[in-house]
Amino acid sequence: MSTMKFSDLRILPRRPRETKEKVGAVGHDPVPATVNPSHAVEGSPKTVPGRFKHKLKIPQILGFVQSPPSPKPIVESNPPQTEVVLDFVENLKENRLVEACQQLLLREDQLFGQETMTLEGLGQVCNEDDKDTLQKDYETLLLHLWMAVHTTFSSTPSGEHLEILRSAVETITLLEEKDQQWEGRPEGSSEAPVWRPHQCRRTYDTLLERIVESQMRNAAVEEDNIRVSSVDNLSTSMKREVCRMGKRLKENVLWVARDMRDCYPPDFDVCNLYVRLYHQKFSARLTELARSGLDVDDCNYLLCWVNNYYPNDILKHKDLEGHINIESLGTLLSEKDLTTLEEQYLLQKESKVRTWFSKALSKEEDGWLSGKSPELIDRYCFCPLAIDVIQAVDGAMREARTILASDAKAQRILCQLDSFLISYKRSLEEFVKGRRENTQAVMKANLVSIEQFRDFIVRREESIPEEIKTSSMSTLADLRDFGYGYFTGPIHEELRVQYRRLWTQAWFTGGQMVLDDLLGTLDRHMQQFTDLKPICMEELLGRLHMEMMVEYVKRMMKRKMRLKDKEQQEAAAKLLADDSSKLSTYFTEAGSKISWLSEVLPKMAEVVRLQDPGSIQLEIVTLARDFPDLSWKHISALLSLKANLSTADVRGIKESLVENRPTVTSFNTIPPFFSKVPVGKTWYMGRPACICYGRRVYSSQD
């Protein structure tokens, strides 16, 4: 406990000595000796008119030792009940501050009754020695008062200390009320005593501020060997200092809220006052530290206190709930200082994350180049790269959210993931160029990592800023295309010859089982993927399903066939429906989840089969509704199969489509398909807007 100095307290100004002539001018009558109140106060010093000057024995007061109780007198049995009235000095010895104060207020009213109450005809001229004695007793009372406050706030008080504090607070209230009475006296009244106003509330606030400043200063400079468990493992003096100050703050404000609050009336608002003083001192010291050029470790620790420990563990403590106004406190650091520290933290964290990513990728590259096959988990090729990287970025973001208290600021670390994915794709491309024996197994294992990266971004889609999400998903799309393209490319290359036989005369006449041969070749290739993880197998099948459907429709729209009449068109429609059924059955049984692809060919077959222009028109509008990316070039190529459609029929179909299309595309949920299908030229007759079909067949290059 720090020692209270006499110079720290507010000492009342000594009232100037007045002459008898001046006293008489006030208008008071002399006070008879029998009513002199100073004679009734035991322990009052003897006064010599015109010569006495009061002196305080400060050491006796500063010690503030409670006197032992007086021995009980021996009384007769069943004595009469009598009330013992203590005088001013005895009340002070018993720490009965309220009673001592009331005695002084009574004497003040007796000495200055006419001045405070303005009663006519009852005035008295008070003795100068009585005024000096009263001023001296007020000084003594205030010394005891402030020592009581200082002792209570500077140590761990007992119940007795709290009772004394309660008495001190009530005394302050009484003195403040008397100040207000003097300030509100009518005009023309005599001057207030020199000790008025006491301004005890202001002195109390100043004393409390000094106590808080002393406690925080002592906590900051406390020797390192005087430790508590929470400080033991802190590596730097800055961390230990901040921890000690924060711990002292928490202990004391909680003590005020739990024990001391009941000693004060509501208008003191003691919890808010105490927390505000501690907040100001803590803020001032942390600001000094923030501007001192902290290293990375100390910067992180300081941010933890500012953004996490202080607002969450202290200000939001359940014992403070409803007793403090958190919003009025503000932040411990200014926005400028806080931004500087947070930028320092993010820069070092981003650098550390990049280093983690680089080491993880280098380790994987060394394994690829060693010629070893990747490990198998549950009989599937596996690569740990994604798990290592995701754990690193997830841990860094979790730490950043805690230290910065902001999800938005923590998301910035995700930008490093996008840069890593670009490097990852570049490394795979370079590795594939080497054509090593383990290339296929390594690529299968890395497909697992690619899917894990994508799942990580998708699961956080709603919380990731749009710019970061768009960039990362675009990079992942390129990476997935490369990874799966490594396997689908060679398959399509072998199937290319069989693709060219679709929608030819041989296909139409049924002389060759074109689609059966195509699916047989595909099935042979699929046998090599037994060690591919199911989630990757599903994606691979989906891509093959989509790509084969695109290739089929592209061959259909090459315009190498023209169906002259109803019989040919109905036969082609049946073949088209049969092929659709075979493709859908194969891929569904293999594990493809793109079920909507089975709707494409049957709808096109219906256009080929129909003969009535009105029915064709309706079916085209339906097809455009289901597939909004269907262009007029696609429709033109499809209608070119029907040689018996006139120019007017085609014009009517187009006009109907133009008229109905704005309303038929709004409810579509099917992903794009026809935009993946390249189409050849559209030929015109007459006005450019009119499509004409002649006998000549136009086709794009294979």
Side-chain angles (χ1 to χ4, degrees):
M1 179 182 76
S2 59
T3 303
M4 180 97 176
K5 295 183 179 179
F6 180 77
S7 59
D8 291 336
L9 302 177
R10 180 178 181 272
I11 303 302
L12 299 174
R14 177 66 66 190
R15 181 181 183 278
R17 188 76 173 185
E18 296 180 348
T19 63
K20 289 186 178 181
E21 291 77 11
K22 189 172 182 180
V23 172
V26 176
H28 291 274
D29 294 331
V31 181
T34 56
V35 297
N36 188 343
S38 64
H39 295 169
V41 180
E42 181 180 346
S44 298
K46 182 178 180 182
T47 60
V48 179
R51 296 177 59 189
F52 177 76
K53 292 185 179 179
H54 298 288
K55 296 183 180 179
L56 299 178
K57 295 182 179 181
I58 302 303
Q60 296 179 4
I61 298 172
L62 292 178
F64 199 64
V65 178
Q66 183 160 346
S67 58
S70 302
K72 297 181 180 180
I74 301 175
V75 296
E76 299 178 358
S77 59
N78 301 321
Q81 297 293 328
T82 59
E83 181 179 356
V84 179
V85 179
L86 303 181
D87 62 21
F88 173 71
V89 173
E90 290 172 337
N91 278 323
L92 286 184
K93 288 181 179 180
E94 296 292 332
N95 290 318
R96 296 163 58 90
L97 301 180
V98 174
E99 290 78 0
C101 178
Q102 289 172 338
Q103 290 175 334
L104 298 187
L105 292 174
L106 177 61
R107 288 164 56 187
E108 183 175 340
D109 285 342
Q110 291 172 343
L111 289 174
F112 299 92
Q114 183 177 355
E115 298 180 38
T116 57
M117 295 182 289
T118 66
L119 298 177
E120 297 181 1
L122 298 179
Q124 297 177 341
V125 177
C126 61
N127 187 291
E128 291 301 307
D129 290 339
D130 295 337
K131 289 186 178 182
D132 288 340
T133 301
L134 182 56
Q135 181 177 356
K136 176 263 181 184
D137 288 344
Y138 266 126
E139 291 174 356
T140 303
L141 173 66
L142 291 177
L143 282 172
H144 278 77
L145 176 65
W146 303 134
M147 287 304 302
V149 174
H150 186 272
T151 301
T152 305
F153 277 94
S154 301
S155 61
T156 303
S158 61
E160 182 180 0
H161 282 97
L162 292 177
E163 285 301 320
I164 296 174
L165 176 64
R166 184 178 287 106
S167 178
V169 171
E170 188 175 347
T171 301
I172 292 172
T173 302
L174 291 173
L175 294 174
E176 283 288 299
E177 291 174 353
K178 197 63 174 179
D179 281 347
Q180 294 172 7
Q181 289 180 14
W182 278 106
E183 290 176 0
R185 68 189 184 279
E187 295 184 6
S189 301
S190 300
E191 292 184 359
V194 294
W195 56 81
R196 292 292 176 187
H198 283 300
Q199 297 180 332
C200 288
R201 283 292 294 270
R202 180 185 298 178
T203 305
Y204 167 81
D205 291 347
T206 301
L207 176 61
L208 195 58
E209 182 177 1
R210 291 176 180 174
I211 293 173
V212 169
E213 182 178 6
S214 174
Q215 290 183 343
M216 292 296 278
R217 183 173 58 251
N218 292 340
V221 301
E222 199 172 74
E223 292 295 331
D224 282 350
N225 58 1
I226 306 177
R227 294 183 175 183
V228 292
S229 59
S230 60
V231 189
D232 286 346
N233 296 324
L234 297 178
S235 57
T236 67
S237 60
M238 194 283 299
K239 291 181 182 180
R240 291 190 290 271
E241 176 184 348
V242 172
C243 183
R244 284 192 296 261
M245 293 177 70
K247 187 177 181 65
R248 178 68 56 83
L249 185 156
K250 180 178 181 179
E251 291 173 348
N252 286 5
V253 297
L254 290 179
W255 168 66
V256 170
R258 292 166 178 165
D259 302 325
M260 191 181 295
R261 177 170 51 87
D262 294 336
C263 298
Y264 289 82
D267 63 288
F268 269 74
D269 197 16
V270 65
C271 289
N272 271 317
L273 172 62
Y274 207 58
V275 170
R276 183 172 66 253
L277 291 173
Y278 266 106
H279 178 91
Q280 291 169 351
K281 301 307 177 185
F282 199 32
S283 173
R285 181 54 183 156
L286 294 190
T287 299
E288 292 177 359
L289 294 172
R291 297 176 181 177
S292 64
L294 300 175
D295 62 22
V296 170
D297 205 24
D298 285 344
C299 170
N300 297 355
Y301 188 76
L302 188 58
L303 284 173
C304 281
W305 267 98
V306 172
N307 289 328
N308 186 16
Y309 302 154
Y310 180 70
N312 296 323
D313 295 351
I314 298 179
L315 297 185
K316 294 181 181 179
H317 194 283
K318 62 179 182 179
D319 290 345
L320 295 178
E321 185 177 356
H323 302 308
I324 64 172
N325 184 352
I326 297 177
E327 288 73 18
S328 66
L329 295 174
T331 57
L332 284 173
L333 296 179
S334 68
E335 183 177 355
K336 180 180 179 181
D337 291 329
L338 185 59
T339 300
T340 300
L341 289 183
E342 289 178 342
E343 183 65 20
Q344 178 182 347
Y345 168 78
L346 283 171
L347 287 175
Q348 66 87 17
K349 183 55 65 177
E350 287 172 331
S351 175
K352 185 175 291 187
V353 167
R354 284 195 298 270
T355 301
W356 292 340
F357 290 173
S358 178
K359 289 182 178 179
L361 183 57
S362 296
K363 181 180 178 181
E364 284 302 310
E365 288 174 336
D366 291 342
W368 304 342
L369 298 175
S370 69
K372 296 180 180 178
S373 296
E375 63 177 317
L376 297 178
I377 295 183
D378 295 332
R379 297 178 289 108
Y380 304 119
C381 296
F382 176 77
C383 172
L385 179 62
I387 292 178
D388 294 341
V389 170
I390 289 173
Q391 286 180 345
V393 72
D394 207 29
M397 289 177 62
R398 186 167 53 251
E399 177 192 293
R401 280 193 295 269
T402 300
I403 292 179
L404 305 178
S406 169
D407 285 340
K409 294 175 182 177
Q411 298 294 345
R412 176 171 144 181
I413 296 176
L414 271 180
C415 294
Q416 307 308 312
L417 180 58
D418 185 43
S419 300
F420 166 77
L421 292 175
I422 294 174
S423 300
Y424 181 31
K425 178 175 178 288
R426 189 181 306 118
S427 295
L428 284 176
E429 290 172 341
E430 290 298 320
F431 172 70
V432 167
K433 291 178 182 178
R435 299 179 181 273
R436 294 173 174 81
E437 292 184 2
N438 64 339
T439 299
Q440 190 175 84
V442 168
M443 290 302 297
K444 289 177 183 178
N446 278 277
L447 286 180
V448 178
S449 285
I450 293 171
E451 291 302 323
Q452 289 173 333
F453 281 128
R454 184 178 182 275
D455 181 63
F456 175 76
I457 296 296
V458 170
R459 283 189 289 109
R460 289 160 177 76
E461 192 171 15
E462 295 183 359
S463 62
I464 298 176
E466 188 64 30
E467 183 179 354
I468 297 177
K469 178 178 66 177
T470 301
S471 176
S472 298
M473 291 303 290
S474 176
T475 304
L476 273 171
D478 293 341
L479 188 56
R480 295 177 88 214
D481 288 344
F482 171 76
Y484 287 103
Y486 171 80
F487 295 105
T488 61
I491 295 175
H492 289 303
E493 186 67 29
E494 184 172 343
L495 295 176
R496 188 175 301 278
V497 175
Q498 293 164 315
Y499 286 147
R500 289 174 178 168
R501 292 160 52 195
L502 291 170
W503 281 86
T504 61
Q505 191 65 27
W507 168 82
F508 183 67
T509 58
Q512 299 179 14
M513 305 299 291
V514 178
L515 192 63
D516 291 341
D517 293 342
L518 190 149
L519 292 177
T521 302
L522 174 63
D523 191 61
R524 177 169 48 83
H525 278 280
M526 297 306 296
Q527 302 307 313
Q528 63 179 313
F529 297 110
T530 55
D531 55 353
L532 182 61
K533 197 167 184 178
I535 187 174
C536 301
M537 187 65 168
E538 179 183 320
E539 177 65 21
L540 179 66
L541 283 167
R543 286 173 176 260
L544 285 169
H545 191 180
M546 172 71 77
E547 291 163 1
M548 289 191 69
M549 286 292 294
V550 167
E551 194 66 31
Y552 189 99
V553 174
K554 183 179 75 172
R555 296 293 164 177
M556 179 180 177
M557 293 184 174
K558 285 286 189 178
R559 298 190 181 93
K560 290 193 173 183
M561 289 190 63
R562 286 180 60 78
L563 308 173
K564 299 179 181 179
D565 51 30
K566 177 181 178 181
E567 287 74 16
Q568 288 186 351
Q569 292 171 17
E570 289 179 348
K574 186 178 183 306
L575 285 172
L576 188 55
D578 290 343
D579 287 351
S580 174
S581 177
K582 291 178 181 179
L583 285 168
S584 297
T585 299
Y586 177 84
F587 281 105
T588 300
E589 291 178 353
S592 173
K593 304 298 184 182
I594 312 180
S595 58
W596 59 268
L597 280 174
S598 61
E599 303 176 14
V600 176
L601 295 184
K603 292 181 182 296
M604 298 180 72
E606 191 65 10
V607 173
V608 173
R609 184 187 68 80
L610 292 172
Q611 300 299 307
D612 177 59
S615 299
I616 296 174
Q617 185 182 72
L618 181 60
E619 194 64 32
I620 290 292
V621 171
T622 301
L623 188 63
R625 177 199 63 195
D626 295 339
F627 299 93
D629 61 335
L630 180 70
S631 70
W632 179 248
K633 286 187 177 182
H634 294 113
I635 297 172
S636 173
L638 180 58
L639 294 178
S640 70
L641 295 172
K642 302 174 72 68
N644 55 352
L645 275 180
S646 66
T647 302
D649 293 336
V650 174
R651 184 184 299 113
I653 292 172
K654 181 177 182 180
E655 290 173 352
S656 175
L657 180 63
V658 171
E659 181 179 352
N660 291 282
R661 188 152 210 163
T663 61
V664 299
T665 60
S666 57
F667 300 104
N668 172 73
T669 58
I670 295 179
F673 173 78
F674 283 97
S675 57
K676 303 177 185 294
V677 179
V679 290
K681 299 178 181 179
T682 303
W683 55 102
Y684 303 91
M685 176 179 289
R687 292 181 300 172
C690 299
I691 300 177
C692 178
Y693 300 89
R695 291 181 177 275
R696 185 178 176 185
V697 177
Y698 289 79
S699 64
S700 61
Q701 296 179 353
D702 286 344

